[in-house]
Amino acid sequence: MTTFEIIVFVVGAGLLLLGSGSGVALFARALKISDKFGDETNVGTLWGLFILGISAGLLLIWWALP
């Protein structure tokens, strides 16, 4: 692997970890029973991190591996 491929792989792994952490936060939020509705603070950000992190992370890892 060249240095560029290693950097792309590390960035992809970081994005994959970020997306996974966001998915865990979304799952924990879904399991939490809340009495009040309309408390949707930062849920859009979590979904954006999840979708971008998983898809871009997997794409970069696939691109970096021989």
Side-chain angles (χ1 to χ4, degrees):
M1 286 179 95
T2 64
T3 306
F4 178 73
E5 289 174 341
I6 292 172
I7 292 171
V8 169
F9 181 78
V10 169
V11 169
L15 282 171
L16 194 62
L17 286 175
L18 182 67
S20 300
S22 176
V24 168
L26 282 169
F27 185 67
R29 184 174 174 86
L31 290 180
K32 194 184 325 179
I33 298 173
S34 178
D35 292 338
K36 56 184 174 180
F37 293 100
D39 184 28
E40 301 297 321
T41 308
N42 298 331
V43 174
T45 304
L46 286 174
W47 275 108
L49 283 174
F50 176 70
I51 292 171
L52 180 71
I54 297 292
S55 60
L58 286 175
L59 178 69
L60 288 176
I61 290 173
W62 174 76
W63 188 37
L65 291 178

